[in-house]
Amino acid sequence: MTMNETPECPAFLPERDFIGYGWDTPADCWPNGAKIAVNFVINFEEGGESSLANGDEYSEGYLHEAFHKAPLKGKRDQQLETMFEYGVRQGLPRIIRLFEKYGYKFTTFAVARALEVAPQYAKLLPELGHEICSHGNRWRSYADMQPEEEAKHVAEAIDRLQRLTGDDNVPAGWFLGRGSNQSKRLIAREHHKRKLPLLYSSDSYADDLPYWVESPLASEGVKDEGLLIVPYSLDCNDHRFLCQGSGWATSNDFLWHMKETFDYLYQEGVEGRPKMMTIGLHNRIIGRPGRFRCLQKFMEYISQKPDVWVARRDAIAKHWKEKYPYTGPLSKQNEYLKSV
């Protein structure tokens, strides 16, 4: 067993698949003959990060641009906290206005605690047509957390998101990013307990298309209805502005990479092998004016292309589930897809 695996909550590690769709990529898989599906993700983490204000011992040490990278112990970090605040005070309004201009809808990876400290967005984002997907209860690593404690975080995340949005049907999807080997099982258990449909998980980077895995609850005697994976991307992702050695130095770097990715995937779609492109963004990162220009230019660029489906992740998941329903474990899925 792994360090935090228990007999009551074993790890959920599906069979590894080194074939995937291979040479048999589903053709004409998007609505109205679209050549590509484009999903924008806005990571809403500000306020959910590690801080004494959230009861933590240390300040946040991950994905920020403060001069010092080491977390401060036992005291608040004003420099870092204000950088996170910028993401909601200026970054998110800037992002929303741009999406309103083009009529595009995004998926919000919402940390429940972050939405709680900026509750004005809990109802505004859905009212504007944007999706609320769970990004966990707190913006932290769950990798070494004991299952009992992590299960409490899962339940609290759902409680907070439903209370804040006033919608008992959220969340339909999850992305933790720093989850444990038990996370998908714990999430599936809580959704099953509440009779809350779990439409998809995005904790994977394995493909350019959605794909099915066995349900985390199948080994617990629950009917195997599969778990749809809608993969995320750290490739076309603004977090690389904060990377050392392999990141974006300028807005044009990120723009060039997004356009190259889009153009190649679009061409594959024209050739009969449509794909999905994910653009991962963070309020406090892309929301800075100099970086924001690349998002403006990229949206303008794709808006001029025909047969582009800009969609929320839940819309992509629902479409995939209807067109390619779950047919069983890995071997049976591959047999089915080759026949359609």
Side-chain angles (χ1 to χ4, degrees):
M1 288 188 181
T2 57
M3 183 173 65
N4 58 336
E5 186 176 355
T6 67
E8 295 76 20
C9 190
F12 175 69
L13 298 170
E15 177 185 354
R16 296 188 72 189
D17 178 6
F18 289 94
I19 299 175
Y21 296 110
W23 298 96
D24 302 304
T25 298
D28 191 29
C29 58
W30 302 130
N32 303 314
K35 307 306 179 189
I36 186 172
V38 178
N39 170 248
F40 292 92
V41 168
I42 307 301
N43 287 267
F44 196 144
E45 300 157 346
E46 295 81 4
E49 77 278 6
S50 295
S51 71
L52 267 67
N54 281 330
D56 301 300
E57 186 178 357
Y58 289 89
S59 65
E60 184 58 55
Y62 181 67
L63 209 57
H64 63 78
E65 51 194 318
F67 292 121
H68 57 282
K69 298 301 180 184
L72 302 184
K73 182 178 180 179
K75 60 181 178 180
R76 292 178 61 179
D77 187 335
Q78 184 181 11
Q79 182 189 87
L80 185 147
E81 287 181 3
T82 56
M83 289 180 176
F84 274 77
E85 289 163 14
Y86 182 93
V88 179
R89 291 166 60 114
Q90 287 291 339
L92 186 53
R94 189 169 281 141
I95 291 167
I96 289 173
R97 285 192 292 267
L98 180 62
F99 276 84
E100 285 293 288
K101 176 181 177 181
Y102 288 98
Y104 293 157
K105 308 304 177 186
F106 57 75
T107 294
T108 314
F109 282 176
V111 172
R113 173 58 179 161
L115 207 58
E116 189 173 56
V117 298
Q120 65 272 28
Y121 288 106
K123 288 187 170 64
L124 176 61
L125 290 173
E127 286 173 0
L128 293 175
H130 306 301
E131 176 194 3
I132 300 291
C133 169
S134 179
H135 197 13
N137 187 43
R138 291 282 313 285
W139 192 61
R140 55 159 299 167
S141 175
Y142 296 89
D144 297 324
M145 186 180 287
Q146 290 302 306
E148 297 81 5
E149 184 181 358
E150 187 178 357
K152 293 178 182 177
H153 275 272
V154 171
E156 187 171 3
I158 296 175
D159 287 342
R160 278 174 158 164
L161 291 178
Q162 291 187 349
R163 173 175 55 81
L164 291 162
T165 61
D167 186 351
D168 292 340
N169 296 310
V170 299
W174 283 71
F175 172 78
L176 289 175
R178 293 183 284 172
S180 73
N181 286 339
Q182 290 77 24
S183 293
K184 288 188 178 72
R185 183 183 298 279
L186 292 168
I187 290 166
R189 282 180 179 178
E190 189 64 26
H191 276 253
H192 182 70
K193 172 184 172 183
R194 297 174 184 240
K195 297 182 172 56
L196 175 64
L198 178 58
L199 185 59
Y200 69 91
S201 168
S202 284
D203 274 297
S204 170
Y205 309 92
D207 213 300
D208 292 319
L209 287 172
Y211 64 93
W212 289 98
V213 298
E214 183 181 65
S215 166
L217 303 182
S219 61
E220 301 180 9
V222 178
K223 181 182 177 182
D224 181 16
E225 297 181 341
L227 175 63
L228 185 63
I229 306 297
V230 182
Y232 189 48
S233 171
L234 297 180
D235 172 17
C236 291
N237 194 301
D238 68 358
H239 88 282
R240 295 181 64 180
F241 279 112
L242 306 186
C243 287
Q244 293 183 353
S246 62
W248 316 124
T250 71
S251 176
N252 282 336
D253 294 337
F254 191 20
L255 175 62
W256 182 87
H257 189 81
M258 285 192 289
K259 288 177 67 175
E260 289 290 289
T261 302
F262 175 87
D263 286 347
Y264 188 83
L265 293 179
Y266 189 87
Q267 182 60 40
E268 286 194 342
V270 170
E271 295 169 354
R273 300 183 301 277
K275 298 295 192 303
M276 171 184 172
M277 178 181 179
T278 295
I279 299 97
L281 306 167
H282 299 73
N283 296 327
R284 65 191 177 280
I285 302 177
I286 200 66
R288 292 284 175 177
R291 296 169 181 155
F292 193 73
R293 289 287 289 151
C294 68
L295 185 59
Q296 281 185 312
K297 293 175 182 178
F298 180 71
M299 281 195 179
E300 181 180 2
Y301 181 71
I302 67 171
S303 71
Q304 298 171 12
K305 301 287 186 178
D307 301 323
V308 176
W309 185 38
V310 177
R312 301 169 12 159
R313 292 177 99 72
D314 58 351
I316 290 170
K318 289 174 183 176
H319 174 78
W320 200 267
K321 189 173 183 178
E322 180 178 344
K323 193 172 180 69
Y324 305 106
Y326 181 61
T327 57
L330 183 62
S331 58
K332 292 184 179 179
Q333 292 176 46
N334 288 341
E335 290 175 9
Y336 169 74
L337 285 167
K338 288 177 182 179
S339 70
V340 298

